[in-house]
Amino acid sequence: MSTSKLLEPFKLGPITLPNRFAMAPLTRNRALEGLVPNPLAVEYYGQRASAGLLITEATQVSKQGQGYQDTPGIYSKEQIAGWRKVTERVHAQGGHIFLQLWHVGRISHTSLQPNGGAPVAPSAILAKTKTFVGGTFADVSEPRALELSEIPGIIDSFKKGAGNAIAAGFDGVEVHGANGYLLDQFARDGSNKRTDAYGGGIENRAKLMLEVTKAVVTEVGAERTGIRISPVTPSNDISDSNPQALFDYIVDHLNALKLVYIHVIEGATGGARDIAPFDYRSLRNRFKGAYIANNGYDFELANKVLSANEADLIAFGKLFISNPDLVERFKRGAPLNDFDKATFYGGGAKGYTDYPVLQSAAAAE
């Protein structure tokens, strides 16, 4: 096991990672009043600091950007202070951590929006999906189309969020351009029916994602900026008639910005890898920075893809929920803990910080 490519170090911009594991962003809905990170999050991320790169749960850049209950923000002093405790713990453990910047767009509920307003979207099209509010899953609310005059404010909220993340001690940020949230909604022709400068052809639909990313780079530097994309996922009722052309174009322009990485969900988020035909090697070849591959990876597939030089890092999601010491378990060929789905969203320490690590598991026997 110790000869695994997963266990080799990797240079990510100015940072040398001890291995090629990334912990994927995982929404856990445990923020406290003011949407400040829970003190338990300090322990949660600290427990998983052996991953080469930790990427935090999606974190909204504004009140309007929230779509689920109890998700943390990065727009207030209290939130920055809460996140600083997380970064200090991760760094004390020798880890590296990026914060994922999020605006959900139409995947929200009026009860979460400022003054009970409608969620915003590229076009006033209701998504056939649910969100998590009031401790249960409920239909999302009907959105309104963003006015052209509001778009600079959206870009600025990402820029400020990135600056706040660096102030909180993060090593970098990941722009959330995936899974049917705002930037993805603008990029896809299934959700974007605009007729202005942000709608129509690929160049116009990709504009917001690229402008946001450029603003973040301007704020914190390309070497501290990554982005997550999901070319063919149907998550949150998202679709596009020609994803290959769209994402080839987007990645060409991300490459021109010299981002430190692209984080690509291959297939349906949390589902089938082969849901739709797509040439991920095309993205890999177009992008000179690091390629993080994500979705349905196990030890075997991760090593196969790394050995073929089809990716630089592999992101694991649910496996990191139930195995804080996933790196060590893979290293030793040890069995993995099963995860408890009932504790994924909301709650306290149960199913969050109480999964056993190898030493404590052995001691309990």
Side-chain angles (χ1 to χ4, degrees):
M1 290 292 176
S2 56
T3 59
S4 162
K5 198 138 175 96
L6 262 174
L7 299 167
E8 290 180 1
F10 181 78
K11 197 155 172 25
L12 186 73
I15 304 166
T16 300
L17 307 179
N19 56 58
R20 293 169 182 251
F21 287 76
M23 176 171 140
L26 296 157
T27 295
R28 306 302 307 273
N29 307 89
R30 282 167 166 83
L32 304 179
E33 192 178 344
L35 304 177
V36 171
N38 193 316
L40 281 172
V42 177
E43 191 179 346
Y44 172 73
Y45 286 107
Q47 287 172 342
R48 290 154 181 80
S50 59
L53 179 67
L54 297 174
I55 308 166
T56 70
E57 62 212 271
T59 301
Q60 57 264 10
V61 294
S62 64
K63 288 181 182 176
Q64 186 197 68
Q66 185 184 6
Y68 302 80
Q69 75 174 61
D70 303 330
T71 54
I74 189 66
Y75 52 85
S76 77
K77 285 178 183 167
E78 294 77 16
Q79 291 161 353
I80 294 167
W83 277 121
R84 191 175 293 114
K85 292 173 186 164
V86 171
T87 62
E88 284 172 354
R89 174 68 64 86
V90 169
H91 290 146
Q93 302 282 109
H96 303 91
I97 185 165
F98 274 41
L99 179 112
Q100 192 188 57
L101 302 168
W102 195 24
H103 191 307
V104 299
R106 67 181 184 168
I107 310 303
S108 189
H109 193 272
T110 52
S111 66
L112 298 172
Q113 289 292 304
N115 306 314
V120 298
S123 304
I125 302 169
L126 180 67
K128 296 186 183 79
T129 190
K130 293 185 182 293
T131 183
F132 186 65
V133 283
T136 188
F137 286 91
D139 290 339
V140 298
S141 300
E142 190 153 347
R144 65 173 180 85
L146 275 163
E147 299 288 337
L148 204 53
S149 61
E150 294 177 278
I151 289 178
I154 298 281
I155 297 167
D156 192 54
S157 65
F158 275 91
K159 184 178 179 179
K160 282 183 176 154
N164 289 344
I166 299 305
F170 284 95
D171 297 296
V173 295
E174 177 176 285
V175 174
H176 198 340
N179 293 349
Y181 297 116
L182 186 68
L183 304 184
D184 206 19
Q185 290 159 28
F186 266 83
R188 314 282 198 125
D189 59 17
S191 47
N192 183 345
K193 306 296 182 186
R194 298 176 78 94
T195 55
D196 59 16
Y198 289 87
I202 283 173
E203 296 82 354
N204 283 5
R205 286 183 280 115
K207 198 172 158 71
L208 184 60
M209 190 183 295
L210 296 173
E211 286 180 344
V212 160
T213 309
K214 188 176 182 180
V216 169
V217 165
T218 304
E219 184 70 14
V220 304
E223 74 285 356
R224 292 175 183 257
T225 306
I227 189 169
R228 194 183 207 203
I229 53 175
S230 53
V232 297
T233 193
S235 284
N236 291 317
D237 197 23
I238 203 78
S239 65
D240 192 79
S241 60
N242 192 353
Q244 191 76 54
L246 173 64
F247 283 93
D248 281 352
Y249 174 87
I250 285 171
V251 169
D252 278 342
H253 285 74
L254 296 173
N255 184 59
L257 290 172
K258 297 184 165 49
L259 295 199
V260 75
Y261 72 73
I262 55 171
H263 178 182
V264 185
I265 298 169
E266 300 167 346
T269 309
R273 289 177 51 79
D274 59 355
I275 191 166
F278 192 86
D279 181 8
Y280 297 100
R281 287 185 192 183
S282 174
L283 306 187
R284 169 75 163 151
N285 293 336
R286 287 165 189 275
F287 189 71
K288 302 300 174 232
Y291 181 105
I292 304 179
N294 180 306
N295 199 31
Y297 277 86
D298 56 16
F299 182 81
E300 213 173 313
L301 183 59
N303 277 307
K304 183 182 169 189
V305 166
L306 289 172
S307 297
N309 197 31
E310 290 170 6
D312 297 300
L313 301 172
I314 304 293
F316 299 93
K318 294 187 189 80
L319 293 184
F320 263 120
I321 287 179
S322 54
N323 298 279
D325 57 345
L326 183 65
V327 175
E328 189 62 25
R329 285 174 188 267
F330 274 177
K331 198 176 184 175
R332 294 195 206 174
L336 302 179
N337 297 323
D338 292 328
F339 46 77
D340 176 11
K341 261 189 170 171
T343 58
F344 279 3
Y345 305 114
K350 184 174 163 53
Y352 190 54
T353 55
D354 66 346
Y355 282 104
V357 296
L358 283 172
Q359 291 79 355
S360 61
E365 283 173 3

